[in-house]
Amino acid sequence: MSDALYGTYYPSIDAKGRMSFPNKLRDILGPEFYLCAGHDDNYIAVYSPEEFNVYQGKLNTIPGRQGSIIRRKLLACTDKQIPDKQGRIFIASQLREHAKITGDVVVIGAVGHAEIWDKALWESFNNDVSFDDINSALENLVL
């Protein structure tokens, strides 16, 4: 993937789990992409095929039973999506349950992948992180 994914988008999602995926992100991800359970929070990670291969490769480096358990849990509900002519994708119920999507959604770009969040969970997460926290974490970096 040559371009990074950035921005915040507020698409609509219907009761059946269909949503319009943002054009700007689709243009970067390509004509098909993978939806996976987010591993560090309740969101859905969206990867281009290339980035998904990198992600799988990293998961494959986790040895033994622990690696098997992690791969099973994270990849069991992975779903390849090809947006329809209107740019809509379908989010399977397993992924909606993982992300606790009950109403409106937010899609964010997170450089190498995109994330789909339940809007209320995103707002809670976003409100819990202050620029003071960010400044403190970046204090020793030269930007």
Side-chain angles (χ1 to χ4, degrees):
M1 179 172 45
S2 61
D3 292 328
L5 299 156
Y6 300 108
T8 305
Y9 307 86
Y10 299 89
S12 60
I13 185 168
D14 67 19
K16 295 179 183 177
R18 294 174 300 191
M19 64 171 279
S20 179
F21 199 80
N23 287 337
K24 286 183 179 181
L25 300 180
R26 274 198 335 260
D27 290 346
I28 295 169
L29 289 166
E32 62 185 40
F33 40 84
Y34 291 85
L35 306 181
C36 311
H39 65 275
D40 58 348
D41 226 321
N42 293 98
Y43 64 87
I44 300 166
V46 184
Y47 294 100
S48 68
E50 299 81 16
E51 290 294 321
F52 182 67
N53 286 336
V54 170
Y55 175 67
Q56 284 185 96
K58 289 177 182 178
L59 290 177
N60 285 334
T61 66
I62 305 167
R65 180 158 169 70
Q66 181 185 29
S68 295
I69 291 167
I70 291 168
R71 284 186 294 278
R72 284 181 191 123
K73 186 70 174 173
L74 292 177
L75 299 176
C77 59
T78 296
D79 191 23
K80 181 178 172 180
Q81 285 291 303
I82 300 171
D84 67 14
K85 291 178 184 176
Q86 289 80 35
R88 292 178 305 187
I89 61 170
F90 172 72
I91 302 175
S93 61
Q94 272 184 303
L95 287 169
R96 289 193 314 263
E97 287 170 17
H98 168 77
K100 300 181 180 181
I101 294 174
T102 58
D104 294 332
V105 295
V106 175
V107 179
I108 64 162
V111 184
H113 67 282
E115 296 176 357
I116 303 170
W117 287 74
D118 177 81
K119 185 179 179 187
L121 283 178
W122 170 251
E123 288 173 351
S124 175
F125 169 84
N126 206 25
N127 290 336
D128 286 346
V129 179
S130 73
F131 278 104
D132 289 339
D133 296 332
I134 293 169
N135 290 335
S136 176
L138 298 178
E139 185 172 280
N140 295 322
L141 291 179
V142 177
L143 297 177

